[in-house]
Amino acid sequence: MNAKLKETLLNPIFKGNPITVLVLGICSALAVTVTMKGALVMMLSVTVVSAVSSLILSILRNTIPSRVRIIVQLVVVSMMVILVDQVLRSFEATYAIDKQLSVYIGLIITNCIVMGRIEAFALGNKPWPSFLDGLANGLGYGLILLTVAFFRELLGSGTLFGVDILGRLGYVPNNLVILPPMALILLGCIVWIQRSIQKDLQEK
Amino acid sequence: MEYISLFVKSIFVDNMIFAYFLGMCSYLAVSKNVKTASGLGAAVVFVLLCTLPINYGINKFLANNPFGVDLTFLSFILFIAVIAAFTQLVEMIVEKFAPSLYGSLGIFLPLIAVNCAILGGSLFMQQRDFGNVGEAAVYALGSGIGWFLAIVTLAAIREKLQYSNVSPALKGIGITFITVGLMSIAFMTFMGITI
């Protein structure tokens, strides 16, 4: 793998993270981070949708007239989301996936990460780098999701992946962390930490 | 009476931004000044109000369609098609009749099509299974106004925030996240109110 592809793959995970740096795809990032399991399912779904739709649209990039490209993108992305949703539905009972997640799976269609990367990268690059870009952005998104979910589940329910951890030590779950506001404040703190390390990202 | 309670509930208790984080991307990006923010907010209210009843009809048709096959899996793609078509229409109207607003909204007008709040409204409508089209329309109006209020309030706060001395690493998006979090805590006071 040459250096440029490696850069494509690694950049979105930390330095150009879609959530903390590009500020895309916040909606679902905050809503599904109550439990680690929800965050993991969401991460996998977004990664699959983003990687495969980037690949498909990159293959089609020379045949799509630019006037109708948004519609074409929406059709391809929603087709992928329908497939993911159907797969998840078939596992819903087996793995007890939260019903609420279904709405947010549908919302991957309008997830700015998927659309943003297609617009900014896949329409101007060859299929293989586009696939990697979609994959890496999905993973970078997932990394933030899992970090937020880790703190919210650990402090909010005292568990991780449903396994009791802090409860055994006599920790009383803090209900505030489960409520929506804490997700935003945690995300603010993550941005704060990242920008303290990478000074070049700071806004003037 | 039921309509009024649904209306108030969708503005305050089930606020699109503070309870479900829908439409966050444009919410954060366009909330730098009040004028642009209220323009986008009004566009969102309008598009929600027009698309939700249409999508309600589509959803009902897919659930009891004459072909005898369960077609509900098509709802995502049909919802987004209705929304994209409607946004295109709004864009053309605004460009024709309010060019200055069109100039300031710029790229964000087409992005209403990919605003999670619009599709989210339709998906929540599907999940909550409203009894009739009136309820769907009232829900759309209420959640649109909730979104409008949220974006205008944040824009007003951010205008003032420019003059405050924020730690450099937190400046910009970091402090905005925390501000929205604190606003969300304020909105939490409406939780548990039964109207």
Side-chain angles (χ1 to χ4, degrees):
Chain A
M1 192 182 281
N2 62 37
K4 210 173 154 219
L5 280 183
K6 211 169 171 186
E7 174 69 18
T8 313
L9 196 58
L10 291 181
N11 188 41
I13 293 178
F14 191 74
K15 253 176 87 184
N17 191 288
I19 293 187
T20 58
V21 180
L22 306 178
V23 201
L24 297 173
I26 315 285
C27 337
S28 52
L30 298 168
V32 297
T33 49
V34 176
T35 60
M36 287 292 271
K37 196 166 74 181
L40 193 68
V41 172
M42 197 65 191
M43 168 189 173
L44 292 176
S45 318
V46 170
T47 310
V48 169
V49 172
S50 157
V52 179
S53 22
S54 277
L55 178 71
I56 296 176
L57 282 157
S58 176
I59 294 171
L60 294 175
R61 72 184 185 284
N62 292 328
T63 53
I64 305 172
S66 81
R67 284 183 70 88
V68 295
R69 67 181 196 285
I70 301 270
I71 304 284
V72 177
Q73 287 165 16
L74 281 175
V75 170
V76 172
V77 174
S78 40
M79 185 195 76
M80 280 309 300
V81 172
I82 289 174
L83 288 179
V84 167
D85 185 57
Q86 293 297 314
V87 171
L88 283 181
R89 259 171 217 215
S90 60
F91 287 113
E92 199 169 51
T94 331
Y95 295 104
I97 295 167
D98 192 5
K99 261 238 142 91
Q100 181 84 24
L101 206 58
S102 171
V103 171
Y104 290 97
I105 294 291
L107 285 172
I108 297 178
I109 301 175
T110 55
N111 190 316
C112 324
I113 295 179
V114 180
M115 293 294 283
R117 290 325 290 174
I118 291 170
E119 268 294 278
F121 197 93
L123 290 182
N125 283 284
K126 291 211 171 74
W128 178 236
S130 304
F131 177 77
L132 288 182
D133 182 71
L135 189 76
N137 275 287
L139 294 177
Y141 165 85
L143 182 72
I144 301 294
L145 235 66
L146 289 177
T147 319
V148 176
F150 176 81
F151 288 109
R152 283 183 87 189
E153 192 179 349
L154 192 65
L155 300 177
S157 334
T159 59
L160 279 179
F161 287 106
V163 182
D164 195 7
I165 296 195
L166 283 184
R168 261 185 241 164
L169 307 170
Y171 175 79
V172 182
N174 181 352
N175 204 25
L176 178 68
V177 185
I178 295 194
L179 293 173
M182 246 359 238
L184 284 158
I185 294 175
L186 271 174
L187 200 55
C189 294
I190 292 177
V191 172
W192 190 3
I193 293 168
Q194 193 187 4
R195 293 195 176 177
S196 306
I197 301 169
Q198 287 178 272
K199 295 229 164 25
D200 54 315
L201 290 176
Q202 293 176 3
E203 286 168 45
K204 299 268 147 42
Chain B
M1 204 50 224
E2 212 170 83
Y3 286 135
I4 298 173
S5 98
L6 182 67
F7 182 66
V8 176
K9 210 168 162 235
S10 56
I11 295 182
F12 294 108
V13 184
D14 292 339
N15 189 288
M16 280 269 184
I17 293 279
F18 299 126
Y20 298 108
F21 312 111
L22 296 178
M24 263 295 172
C25 308
S26 36
Y27 179 71
L28 294 173
V30 194
S31 56
K32 284 195 179 107
N33 72 67
V34 174
K35 207 171 159 232
T36 329
S38 43
L40 183 74
V44 166
V45 175
F46 178 71
V47 176
L48 256 179
L49 191 59
C50 296
T51 53
L52 221 79
I54 302 178
N55 283 342
Y56 179 83
I58 290 178
N59 191 35
K60 277 278 165 295
F61 174 78
L62 288 176
N64 326 295
N65 63 67
F67 312 114
V69 194
D70 184 16
L71 288 178
T72 39
F73 70 91
L74 281 178
S75 57
F76 289 168
I77 203 162
L78 289 175
F79 286 176
I80 199 71
V82 168
I83 291 165
F86 232 93
T87 325
Q88 197 78 48
L89 194 71
V90 174
E91 193 189 346
M92 286 185 320
I93 293 172
V94 173
E95 193 179 5
K96 177 99 176 122
F97 294 108
S100 64
L101 184 62
Y102 184 79
S104 59
L105 285 181
I107 185 173
F108 289 104
L109 211 50
L111 281 185
I112 290 184
V114 289
N115 187 328
C116 325
I118 314 280
L119 183 65
S122 291
L123 293 176
F124 273 117
M125 173 270 296
Q126 190 185 28
Q127 194 194 35
R128 287 180 197 177
D129 213 8
F130 287 130
N132 58 48
V133 71
E135 276 180 33
V138 169
Y139 174 73
L141 187 63
S143 41
I145 291 176
W147 203 89
F148 178 86
L149 281 179
I151 195 169
V152 174
T153 334
L154 180 68
I157 293 178
R158 280 181 85 174
E159 276 186 358
K160 293 276 175 284
L161 210 58
Q162 280 176 351
Y163 305 108
S164 21
N165 195 7
V166 181
S167 143
L170 208 52
K171 211 164 197 169
I173 200 65
I175 192 73
T176 311
F177 276 134
I178 293 176
T179 312
V180 180
L182 295 175
M183 285 163 75
S184 180
I185 291 181
F187 262 72
M188 284 284 118
T189 48
F190 293 111
M191 247 171 74
I193 297 177
T194 43
I195 308 158

